[in-house]
Amino acid sequence: MSSHSVTLPQLLAPDVAARVAAALADAPFSDGRATAHGGARDAKRNQQLEPAHPLAREHGATLVAALNRSERFMSLALPHTILPFTFAQYEVGMAYGEHLDLPIVGTPNGPLRTDLSLTIFLSPPDAYDGGELVIPGDDGPRTIKGGPGDAFLYPSDTLHRVAPVTRGQRLVAITWIQSLVPDAEQRAILAGIGDSVIAMHTAGAPDADVTRLRQVQHKLLRRWARA
Ligand code: NI
């Protein structure tokens, strides 16, 4: 499993997540297979509210605003473009078998490279059984089931699946991000330097030292960024 996957606890405030979930309770979800390609189409059994739907746009904007406010997300993802959110609902018996997300997706503004995939959990974990996001790995699978508003950010080339829901209903919001820095290792290096800059600043290190480290960070970002 990639070490570049990360949980972002309460990226969205739990009460906001609950409000979004409630607002979408009667939304017109449709068969998710319509937007799956190749092998993913056979593996995909869920219902989706497409990004273009007014309800998805309204509540997706709330989620994008939360992303933009999150220093942790911005530091880890270095987003160039964040795709509009899709809402995915899994009823009992629904699942998404092991698959890879598409490397390039079409958008009204042209093709977008998916560097990062993001899931925001909206349902409370006790509202459903099963439905974990599962990432296979050499040391066994990693299973992720977040509380309302928790997010999981992972490189889009990660093999993953959603376990079958056996009780209740699972609602998540998903999106894909084209990063300014396509390489996961380079993003991790930049985020590590960013953490150190903040830690030095907090510890009261001399400004000149903090600035020197920030200069290194900026040099690497200029070198690695693809605008
Ligand atoms: Ni996927």
Side-chain angles (χ1 to χ4, degrees), residues 35-67:
T35 57
H37 300 266
R41 187 185 295 268
D42 300 326
K44 193 174 186 185
R45 275 172 290 134
N46 70 0
Q47 297 179 315
Q48 289 187 171
L49 186 65
E50 297 312 322
H53 191 279
L55 278 171
R57 288 160 85 128
E58 178 188 346
H59 297 288
T62 302
L63 307 188
V64 170
L67 291 181

Side-chain angles (χ1 to χ4, degrees), residues 96 99-101 154 160 176:
Y96 198 161
H99 68 279
L100 293 166
D101 293 345
Y154 56 104
H160 61 282
W176 291 268

Side-chain angles (χ1 to χ4, degrees), residues 196-209:
S196 299
V197 166
I198 292 167
M200 284 175 70
H201 193 72
T202 305
D207 280 351
D209 292 345

Side-chain angles (χ1 to χ4, degrees), residues 17-29 47 49 55 59 87 89 91 122 169 171:
R19 199 155 63 231
V20 170
L24 297 178
D26 298 320
F29 284 82
Q47 297 179 315
L49 186 65
L55 278 171
H59 297 288
F87 293 88
Q89 181 170 270
E91 312 270 7
L122 296 172
Q169 191 185 69
L171 178 67

Side-chain angles (χ1 to χ4, degrees), residues 127-177:
Y128 60 101
D129 291 329
E132 298 89 353
L133 178 59
V134 183
I135 296 179
D138 293 340
D139 304 324
R142 177 175 180 190
T143 60
I144 302 107
K145 186 173 186 174
D150 291 349
F152 188 68
L153 180 70
Y154 56 104
S156 296
D157 58 3
T158 307
L159 194 62
H160 61 282
R161 64 188 169 90
V162 177
V165 169
T166 57
R167 177 190 63 87
Q169 191 185 69
R170 172 195 197 254
L171 178 67
V172 296
I174 53 177
T175 190
W176 291 268
I177 297 131

